[in-house]
Amino acid sequence: QSVLTQPPSVSGAPGQRVTLSCTGSSSNIGAGYDVHWYQQVPGTAPKLLIYGNTNRPSGVPDRFSGSKSGTSASLAITGLQAEDEADYYCHSYDHSLEGYVFGSGTKLSVL
Amino acid sequence: QVTLKESGPVLVKPTETLTLTCTVSGFSLSEPRVGVSWIRQPPGKALEWLGHIFSDDDKSYNTSLKSRLTISKDTSKSQVVLTMTNMDPVDTATYFCSRMSYRGTYLFDYWGQGTLVTVSS
């Protein structure tokens, strides 16, 4: 049971905009800890996509954006492309658990 | 160029101890505000943070697994070692090591390719 809750699946057509949510609690996201997002193509290692809630590492297209409010965070992908089909995980810190926590993951399908 | 690579057994028996090594390059394990974490992923399931070690030898472990885990490092060899005792079939997973770096908060910016460990008799 993951501490951060994500919808199991999201889908969209090429060119569309989708939003992936990550819901936490007052001991992690709600406590002010940053949220990071990772993209994982099946069979490969996760790749850092968004850090510090809203920042993109160099090389990540500006089609990807992050936001955070209260006990939740969101990842938005605009201009959906076939190559965006992957699993997406959010990550934060939990002070009650005294450790790092990941979301349950969302599988993005591009129709 | 930062790289990490996991190595170790692909198959362990129940009750045995797992030892995995993460060999890093492109950065030093003595760098301040840089650490290495171990993260695992059971087949078809989510990522789970296991623990980390920093350059000053500060360590932290997932509280649910703390009694079974030990992380150590050999800076001269650029290696971080994970040991997990009393392995069980539920510990079957791909084990990743990842560099932790600080950008206002710690995040996992580089990952190894992962190594699949199967626990079976």
Side-chain angles (χ1 to χ4, degrees):
Chain A
Q1 189 91 6
S2 299
V3 172
L4 305 179
T5 301
Q6 299 180 247
S9 62
V10 167
S11 62
Q16 281 190 333
R17 178 182 191 272
V18 295
T19 301
L20 285 62
S21 63
C22 173
T23 302
S25 68
S26 59
S27 63
N28 42 69
I29 298 175
Y33 295 106
D34 283 346
V35 177
H36 318 294
W37 291 88
Y38 302 84
Q39 178 191 60
Q40 185 181 32
V41 174
T44 70
K47 168 192 167 186
L48 180 65
L49 198 64
I50 296 287
Y51 69 93
N53 307 314
T54 61
N55 303 291
R56 284 186 309 277
S58 62
V60 174
D62 60 6
R63 301 187 295 106
F64 295 90
S65 62
S67 63
K68 174 188 159 185
S69 178
T71 58
S72 295
S74 294
L75 172 70
I77 309 173
T78 59
L80 208 55
Q81 299 180 5
E83 66 200 48
D84 299 332
E85 194 161 279
D87 297 320
Y88 292 82
Y89 292 93
C90 56
H91 151 230
S92 187
Y93 181 82
D94 190 291
H95 65 70
S96 293
L97 297 174
E98 296 182 87
Y100 295 95
V101 290
F102 286 96
S104 46
T106 295
K107 181 177 182 59
L108 172 64
S109 298
V110 181
L111 304 173
Chain B
Q1 171 194 1
V2 172
T3 65
L4 302 94
K5 186 170 185 178
E6 306 87 353
S7 59
V10 296
L11 179 67
V12 297
K13 291 181 169 55
T15 76
E16 287 187 341
T17 294
L18 170 69
T19 299
L20 293 175
T21 299
C22 176
T23 302
V24 310
S25 64
F27 70 100
S28 171
L29 295 176
S30 62
E31 284 183 37
R33 288 194 161 183
V34 168
V36 171
S37 265
W38 285 95
I39 295 157
R40 71 178 179 179
Q41 185 173 38
K45 296 189 177 181
L47 301 164
E48 179 183 33
W49 174 77
L50 300 179
H52 68 232
I53 187 167
F54 282 97
S55 55
D56 60 359
D57 219 39
D58 175 51
K59 302 166 196 173
S60 183
Y61 299 102
N62 184 315
T63 53
S64 66
L65 296 166
K66 189 173 184 176
S67 63
R68 299 173 53 205
L69 297 174
T70 303
I71 297 176
S72 61
K73 66 180 174 70
D74 185 329
T75 302
S76 65
K77 292 183 178 179
S78 295
Q79 292 181 333
V80 175
V81 176
L82 170 75
T83 60
M84 181 180 289
T85 61
N86 195 25
M87 293 292 284
D88 183 273
V90 300
D91 296 313
T92 293
T94 296
Y95 287 75
F96 297 98
C97 59
S98 176
R99 189 181 82 159
M100 300 175 69
S101 64
Y102 187 78
R103 302 191 204 183
T105 181
Y106 280 104
L107 49 92
F108 308 118
D109 60 352
Y110 290 91
W111 296 65
Q113 64 190 22
T115 185
L116 175 61
V117 177
T118 301
V119 184
S120 174
S121 55

